[in-house]
Amino acid sequence: MTRSAFAHVDGVLHAERVSAVSLAERFGTPLYVYSRAALTDAWQAYAGACAGRRASVHVAVKANSNLAVLNVFARMNAGFDIVSGGELARVLAAGGKAENTVFSGVGKSAAEMRDALVAGVKCFNVESIPELDRLNEVAGSIGKRAPVSLRVNPDVDAKTHPYISTGLKSNKFGVAFDDARATYRAAAAMRHLEVIGIDCHIGSQITEVAPYLDAVDRLLELVAQIEADGATVRHIDVGGGLGITYDNETPPDIGVFVRTVLDRIDARGHGHREVYFEPGRSLVGNAGILLTRVEFLKPGAEKNFVIVDAAMNDLARPAMYEAYHAIEPVVMRSAPQQVYDVVGPVCESGDWLGRDRALAVEPGDLLAVRSAGAYGFVMSSNYNTRPRAAEVMVDGDKVHLVRAREDVQQLFAGEARLPD
Ligand code: LLP
């Protein structure tokens, strides 16, 4: 996905046709800003590459679950990938359909399973025998058969950050490759389950196609064995994980990625099966920025700091993964640049948004933290009793407030003092 939805026009950053200065003045900061055009372009890159093929795309809701964002995808007939009952409720509230939704996740509760069965989700991606047992029991108790796929751990190295790599033997995810055939047999023997597919998810922010091809090859080895045992594998779900450009990464283009995976599956003689994709970051990551205002400049003995009004509670990725997000002034200054760490007001040394950044900046200036559309707002918290940011969606020259800024009273509305 290009980042062109956010560009400087006459020295002022714009989101589509709207100046970021006007957004900050109208809605305050910190402020998440999404571009409908960027969301649409990324979706169309997936959908275009899948056109005419047996393939479907399920938006990973966890990456950005704002109702307006999900609604943009639902209007384009997207499928969804959820990991909780809460995400199912969001998909339905946003106009998505349960029958286009797959339910992933390693620890589904019985209540979540029941709600998803009643809603009629397309498939449960199951990760263990105890989970199969629970799903079988829940389905039986309401007289339904649950469609299932097993998430197999293909033991391939996705070459990404260890916290977001999921396809290695050492990860908590999926059924071990060597146990997969037996687990499929167990699933096939359960009366209230119907085996319909196989899936994997090898990690996130993956910038090469090769690990996907390795994973696909491993899954296809199993498909032959599973079918020899009498089950039918109608679909192969390759998960999500395609990376984006935060700095100078060069992930494959979405269309190239999709076609390469589909071509491999065809070439191996499995083109009659449907292929599912579960992208999150590559759909929404570069469709969002976080606007923040400079509070103070603080020169230090070893480092200079720009203290801004956004913090690790608003964007956790730098603190959690040492993730890089480009940071740029909303209004360009011609003054000489200095090197700063850009940090927030939270009382932790880990509260930083960017390190060693060359900026020409003054108190009161606005900065834009780029590539904040994925795992940004959704991972935000109220740490330090900080109300969560507002979210807006820009559509051409129109702006929609899609989540109001929280106020402090809301934060402790559910709490109580002890009785007198
Ligand atoms: N499917 C499954 C089963 C997943 O676990 C994930 C992400 C996805 C799809 C979507 O992956 P994506 O296309 O977005 O890479 N918070 C981390 C990323 C965690 C990803 C977890 N699983 C970050 O900020 O980098």
Side-chain angles (χ1 to χ4, degrees), residues 232-316:
T232 309
V233 176
R234 297 207 294 262
H235 75 258
I236 300 169
D237 181 339
V238 299
L242 181 64
I244 60 169
T245 303
Y246 285 96
D247 186 8
N248 48 21
E249 306 90 335
T250 52
D253 171 84
I254 291 171
V256 169
F257 161 73
V258 167
R259 280 188 289 270
T260 308
V261 169
L262 294 179
D263 289 349
R264 177 72 146 236
I265 292 171
D266 272 358
R268 297 274 315 259
H270 292 265
H272 56 294
R273 302 184 207 275
E274 187 161 348
V275 179
Y276 295 2
F277 294 88
E278 298 173 357
R281 189 188 319 264
S282 52
L283 286 170
V284 297
N286 275 326
I289 59 172
L290 172 62
L291 290 180
T292 182
R293 202 176 281 282
V294 176
E295 301 279 15
F296 306 110
L297 299 184
K298 187 175 175 193
E302 286 181 13
K303 289 216 152 198
N304 296 317
F305 296 98
V306 178
I307 302 176
V308 296
D309 65 2
M312 64 188 287
N313 74 296
D314 300 299
L315 180 68

Side-chain angles (χ1 to χ4, degrees), residues 326-404:
I327 298 178
E328 49 192 48
V330 167
V331 180
M332 293 298 191
R333 284 182 179 275
S334 51
Q337 295 183 326
Q338 276 203 60
V339 175
Y340 295 99
D341 278 10
V342 180
V343 302
V346 162
C347 300
E348 301 249 1
S349 298
D351 179 27
W352 58 276
L353 298 176
R355 285 183 169 153
D356 299 325
R357 304 302 174 87
L359 292 165
V361 72
E362 295 293 340
D365 282 4
L366 289 167
L367 296 176
V369 183
R370 306 293 297 251
S371 312
Y375 307 108
F377 182 88
V378 287
M379 289 175 68
S380 64
S381 77
N382 295 119
Y383 188 38
N384 282 201
T385 306
R386 288 170 51 86
R388 281 179 297 172
E391 296 172 284
V392 296
M393 173 119 32
V394 173
D395 182 6
D397 56 9
K398 294 196 291 292
V399 182
H400 306 282
L401 177 65
V402 296
R403 192 180 208 276

Side-chain angles (χ1 to χ4, degrees), residues 60 62-63 81 104 151 164 201 203-205 239-242 278-282 317 321 374-375 379:
K62 64 167 79 70
D81 166 51
S104 303
R151 173 168 175 181
I164 52 178
H201 172 76
S204 201
Q205 184 55 15
L242 181 64
E278 298 173 357
R281 189 188 319 264
S282 52
R317 303 191 71 258
Y321 317 113
Y375 307 108
M379 289 175 68

